[in-house]
Amino acid sequence: MKTYIKKIYKPMLIFLAVAFLYNCQNQQKNQQTKEEKKMNVIKENFGNVDNKEIYLFTIKNENGMEVNITNYGGIVTSILVPDKNGDFDDVVLGYDNLDGYLKETPYFGAIVGRYANRIAKGKFTLDGVEYILAANNGENHLHGGIKGLDKVVWDAEEFQSEDGAGVKLHYLSPDGEEGYPGNLDITVFYTLTNSNELKIEYSAKTDKPTPVNLTHHSYFNLAGTSGRDILEHVLFIDADKYTVIDESLIPTGELRDVSVTPMDFRKPTTIGSRINKVEGGYDHNYVLNNGGEFAKVTELYDPVSGRIVEVFTSEPGIQFYSGNFLDGSITGKKDVVYSKHFGLCLETQHFPDSPNQVNFPNTILRPGEEYKYTTVYKFSVR
Ligand code: BGC
């Protein structure tokens, strides 16, 4: 009997010991994965501006996609995505260091506002009061003025969420800044998801009525740093109309049908195939067919690398800007020279000059209301 018990007991003890060790190891592994997940936002010093520390955040997702964001101007300094062969490259224009952004930048990767795009003659009247903004684009006001949201230091905090990780940015734009009425309290969440999306959630509140129109100003080049411009990229825009503009790029108020014009991107079309028929190149606001609902509005595809970026938003417009003013005077990341059409912007927005255009969707935010919308840039390959 004794030997029988011994026979059973010993293997049982060994089994329990092995099971215990296995369990311990697994717990350790789980802990590690949790920690690894926590670590997918890295915060480093990127310099100093106005005696405030500037950070560079590196966010990496499960697929190896990587995004760099700084709290100076809320700038996305790089987006690393794979091509159809799995080779990663940076698909946005910008500089290698903060100095580049401080010297001169055509809004590379920035958050733009308080009013993205143009306001005619830098003036608007609201509730009977005329407001004068900085004229920083000829006689017009562009992208929030001389020191817009792209040039201020945002408070920044990294976060983890269900679908990824990111950076929360906050900025309180004081009453009167760049001529705008009201203290505007702005929050932007940048999230890199594990579905290879860069999600941007904008929100703002004010204590006086004021126009608000925020956007993101990345210059995409899906060819990466290969030295090719964007003219071979294929673009789809789900819009039947665009806002007609005058020679200073201010809307005339007319919404024109894109049919049988070089403005029609309802079928995916190579950008370079008709750009010469558009004076100055594409720099137009499209009237989206999304009916104000969050939906896919645009797709950009580079047939050579196979890279794709799809844009989703609930905003009524998107500015397609084909980098017409890039002229080779900027040498960007990795010493690449940014010549004409070297990058393009897909800026989700309300229509330009809305505060002066009674027929355009409203852009006035009033106390007690919340400005809120989301745009997603989703990357993939074909
Ligand atoms: C505008 C262009 C402007 C550019 C500035 C774009 O959003 O549509 O007209 O020149 O920003 O870099």
Side-chain angles (χ1 to χ4, degrees), residues 25 114 155 168 206 221 265 347 375:
Q25 251 181 359
R114 291 186 184 192
D155 305 323
K168 175 188 175 187
T206 184
N221 184 332
F265 284 95
E347 306 156 54
T375 287

Side-chain angles (χ1 to χ4, degrees), residues 106-107 117-118 142-143 217 219 249 283 319 321 325 347:
Y107 306 91
N117 218 303
R118 291 175 174 80
L142 174 68
H143 291 335
H217 212 281
Y219 285 67
L249 309 184
D283 196 354
Q319 184 83 7
Y321 169 56
F325 299 115
E347 306 156 54

Side-chain angles (χ1 to χ4, degrees), residues 87-345:
D87 292 331
F88 282 76
D89 204 351
D90 191 349
V91 294
V92 287
L93 309 191
Y95 296 100
D96 284 319
N97 51 47
L98 183 61
D99 261 10
Y101 294 100
L102 296 178
K103 274 186 198 134
E104 201 218 338
T105 165
Y107 306 91
F108 285 147
I111 292 170
V112 171
R114 291 186 184 192
Y115 199 96
N117 218 303
R118 291 175 174 80
I119 295 183
K121 299 189 171 65
K123 280 185 206 164
F124 63 93
T125 301
L126 176 55
D127 299 339
V129 180
E130 184 179 60
Y131 293 93
I132 312 281
L133 307 170
N136 59 331
N137 188 243
E139 57 175 4
N140 300 322
H141 176 83
L142 174 68
H143 291 335
I146 294 161
K147 191 174 177 185
L149 301 180
D150 60 297
K151 292 180 189 71
V152 302
V153 181
W154 296 67
D155 305 323
E157 205 180 290
E158 62 271 48
F159 66 85
Q160 307 285 323
S161 65
E162 286 275 299
D163 55 350
V167 179
K168 175 188 175 187
L169 298 173
H170 172 258
Y171 178 66
L172 182 69
S173 174
D175 190 3
E177 189 167 49
E178 296 295 312
Y180 289 99
N183 291 295
L184 189 69
D185 197 323
I186 314 163
T187 304
V188 174
F189 285 89
Y190 275 116
T191 309
L192 172 62
T193 74
N194 286 319
S195 315
N196 285 6
E197 298 160 331
L198 177 63
K199 179 163 79 180
I200 312 175
E201 294 163 283
Y202 305 85
S203 60
K205 281 188 171 163
T206 184
D207 56 6
K208 282 185 192 161
T210 191
V212 186
N213 188 30
L214 306 179
T215 194
H216 173 73
H217 212 281
S218 269
Y219 285 67
F220 296 101
N221 184 332
L222 299 180
T225 51
S226 69
R228 275 192 293 121
D229 62 29
I230 52 86
L231 294 180
E232 280 172 33
H233 284 34
V234 176
L235 182 64
F236 159 75
I237 305 177
D238 190 9
D240 294 337
K241 292 189 169 121
Y242 69 101
T243 49
V244 178
I245 42 177
D246 68 13
E247 55 296 332
S248 71
L249 309 184
I250 295 292
T252 61
E254 184 195 347
L255 308 183
R256 192 175 289 170
D257 197 326
V258 294
S259 307
V260 235
T261 76
M263 302 301 292
D264 192 352
F265 284 95
R266 290 173 300 180
K267 283 200 193 97
T269 308
T270 305
I271 292 168
S273 65
R274 301 170 304 184
I275 197 167
N276 292 336
K277 296 188 181 133
V278 181
E279 213 192 316
Y282 295 100
D283 196 354
H284 295 81
N285 171 65
Y286 281 80
V287 179
L288 295 169
N289 291 337
N290 59 3
E293 299 293 321
F294 183 79
K296 175 171 164 175
V297 295
T298 305
E299 180 176 309
L300 181 69
Y301 170 54
D302 171 32
V304 181
S305 66
R307 291 192 186 96
I308 295 171
V309 59
E310 293 163 275
V311 186
F312 299 75
T313 194
S314 55
E315 282 292 272
I318 197 164
Q319 184 83 7
F320 165 36
Y321 169 56
S322 55
N324 314 324
F325 299 115
L326 296 173
D327 59 4
S329 60
I330 292 176
T331 302
K333 287 180 273 185
K334 293 194 177 165
D335 290 332
V336 178
V337 175
Y338 296 153
S339 41
K340 197 168 181 179
H341 308 314
F342 211 78
L344 66 88
C345 303

